[in-house]
């Protein structure tokens, strides 16, 4: 039986002077009249705030000491993973409102995903950018944007195909269909808009009072991050860390699979 997940918006106090855990006092953010049943619910809520400062002001004095926010995902075995918060993207609601859970077949394999079923200009404009990168065969770009994602596997399969194959196993139409998976789209949005640190890896077997930082990657753009669904649990056990100054730019990010074991900074 599939494990039911719980999604919480959580706040932290960032202590750049700490020699051990810099993220402390983790607390679930409670908002009167607002319930989050999925990661998309939280995304839709936070994407309407221009920045973490705008969100903090909205939350008021109950959480005025929190200097960073992220999304904590837990299952019924008390395992936790974290995703960073998406800010300043009100158009994302157009996508979230048209998500439908279903099964798609890409390159002969079935995948159960949360699929975008609409046709908004917002999504079309994004796909045109990705399609252009596919036609240019920009491998480096895809390696950066979709690192650790099943979508990168599909992209590489397409790039490595036999161009003279009569019945190709994967086409651009397959890649477009796969890109409608919300998890894949969120990967793109993270890379495109994130001007601070994304993919802060945090995991623990209990509700933490202090947050452990395992890995960080600097991105360029606005405030956001990316998501990995269960089927994206690839190898995140990499020694890639940043100094205190870089971590000081952190805006509350995280993207690790359940059960990840990382190294403490």
């Amino acid at each position: 039986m599939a494990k039911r997940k719980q999604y919480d918006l959580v706040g932290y106090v960032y202590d750049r002077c700490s020699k051990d855990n810099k993220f402390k006092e983790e607390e679930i953010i409670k908002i009167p009249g607002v319930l989050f049943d999925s990661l998309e619910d939280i995304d839709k809520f936070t994407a309407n705030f221009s920045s973490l400062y705008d969100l903090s002001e909205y939350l008021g004095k109950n959480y005025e000491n929190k200097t960073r926010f992220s999304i904590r995902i837990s299952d019924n075995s008390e395992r936790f993973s974290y995703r960073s918060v998406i800010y300043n993207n009100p158009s994302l609601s157009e996508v979230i409102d048209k998500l439908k859970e279903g099964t798609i077949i890409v390159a002969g394999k079935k995948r159960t995903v949360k699929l975008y079923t609409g046709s908004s200009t917002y999504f079309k404009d994004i796909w045109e950018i990705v399609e252009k990168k596919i036609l240019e065969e920009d491998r480096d770009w895809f390696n950066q944007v979709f690192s650790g994602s099943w979508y990168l596997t599909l992209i590489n399969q397409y790039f490595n195909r036999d161009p003279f194959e009569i019945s190709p196993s994967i086409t651009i139409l397959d890649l477009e269909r796969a890109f409608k998976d919300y998890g894949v789209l969120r990967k793109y949005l993270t890379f495109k808009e994130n001007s601070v640190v994304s993919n802060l890896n945090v995991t623990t077997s209990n509700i933490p009072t202090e947050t452990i930082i395992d890995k960080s990657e600097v991105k360029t753009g606005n405030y956001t991050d990316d998501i990995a669904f269960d089927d994206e649990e690839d190898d995140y056990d990499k020694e890639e860390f940043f100094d205190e100054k870089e971590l000081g730019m952190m805006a509350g990010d995280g993207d690790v699979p359940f059960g990840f074991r990382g190294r403490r900074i």
Side-chain angles (χ1 to χ4, degrees):
M1 184 176 68
K3 297 178 179 178
R4 178 173 174 78
K5 295 179 182 178
Q6 179 175 327
Y7 301 85
D8 294 302
L9 179 63
V10 294
Y12 308 88
V13 174
Y14 179 77
D15 182 4
R16 69 172 61 202
C17 297
S18 174
K19 295 181 180 179
D20 192 5
N21 297 330
K22 291 180 170 61
F23 287 78
K24 302 179 179 181
E25 300 179 29
E26 178 178 320
E27 183 178 0
I28 296 175
I29 304 300
K30 300 293 185 180
I31 306 170
V34 179
L35 297 177
F36 300 125
D37 292 326
S38 66
L39 184 137
E40 298 82 54
D41 285 347
I42 301 178
D43 285 346
K44 188 174 180 179
F45 174 77
T46 63
N48 286 302
F49 294 95
S50 61
S51 68
L52 70 91
Y53 307 105
D54 191 19
L55 174 60
S56 181
E57 184 176 354
Y58 171 85
L59 294 175
K61 61 181 180 181
N62 288 339
Y63 304 105
E64 62 185 359
N65 68 319
K66 305 304 181 185
T67 55
R68 301 290 187 270
F69 300 98
S70 65
I71 300 169
R72 189 180 74 195
I73 306 174
S74 56
D75 63 13
N76 53 14
S77 64
E78 296 187 344
R79 304 294 302 175
F80 297 91
S81 66
Y82 291 77
R83 306 291 183 266
S84 43
V85 172
I86 292 180
Y87 300 106
N88 196 30
N89 194 341
S91 295
L92 189 58
S93 293
E94 301 175 33
V95 171
I96 293 174
D97 287 343
K98 293 292 184 178
L99 290 179
K100 182 179 180 180
E101 186 168 322
T103 301
I104 61 172
I105 299 176
V106 180
K109 295 184 179 180
K110 292 183 178 180
R111 303 187 70 87
T112 299
V113 301
K114 291 186 177 180
L115 193 68
Y116 174 61
T117 60
S119 58
S120 68
T121 300
Y122 172 72
F123 180 86
K124 289 179 180 178
D125 289 345
I126 292 175
W127 171 245
E128 284 183 5
I129 295 171
V130 176
E131 184 179 35
K132 182 174 183 291
K133 292 294 184 180
I134 293 173
L135 296 175
E136 293 172 349
E137 200 167 316
D138 193 339
R139 293 173 182 259
D140 289 342
W141 186 84
F142 282 101
N143 285 334
Q144 293 180 66
V145 177
F146 298 103
S147 174
S149 167
W150 68 276
Y151 193 68
L152 180 60
T153 301
L154 288 181
I155 290 292
N156 286 330
Q157 184 178 341
Y158 178 80
F159 287 159
N160 296 331
R161 74 194 186 287
D162 180 354
F164 301 105
E165 188 178 5
I166 297 177
S167 299
S169 58
I170 185 168
T171 66
I172 288 186
L173 288 177
D174 290 323
L175 297 178
E176 181 180 6
R177 186 180 306 114
F179 189 73
K180 291 182 178 181
D181 172 9
Y182 184 68
V184 174
L185 173 62
R186 204 175 193 270
K187 276 276 189 184
Y188 168 82
L189 294 176
T190 298
F191 180 84
K192 178 178 179 296
E193 300 178 6
N194 201 333
S195 63
V196 286
V197 178
S198 76
N199 291 340
L200 167 67
N201 290 344
V202 184
T203 187
T204 177
S205 58
N206 297 294
I207 295 178
T209 55
E210 295 184 344
T211 301
I212 299 172
I213 300 173
D214 290 318
K215 181 180 102 127
S216 303
E217 293 178 4
V218 173
K219 308 277 183 168
T220 58
N222 284 333
Y223 294 102
T224 58
D225 109 295
D226 65 80
I227 182 177
F229 288 120
D230 286 348
D231 52 14
E232 276 193 75
E233 295 182 7
D234 300 317
D235 179 18
Y236 282 79
D237 194 6
K238 302 174 183 177
E239 296 186 1
E240 185 175 6
F241 306 113
F242 290 82
D243 59 28
E244 186 170 322
K245 180 178 179 181
E246 290 167 322
L247 287 171
M249 299 169 62
M250 236 306 280
D253 305 331
D255 185 9
V256 292
F258 289 107
F260 170 74
R261 285 284 186 266
R263 170 181 157 190
R264 179 180 297 191
I265 292 179

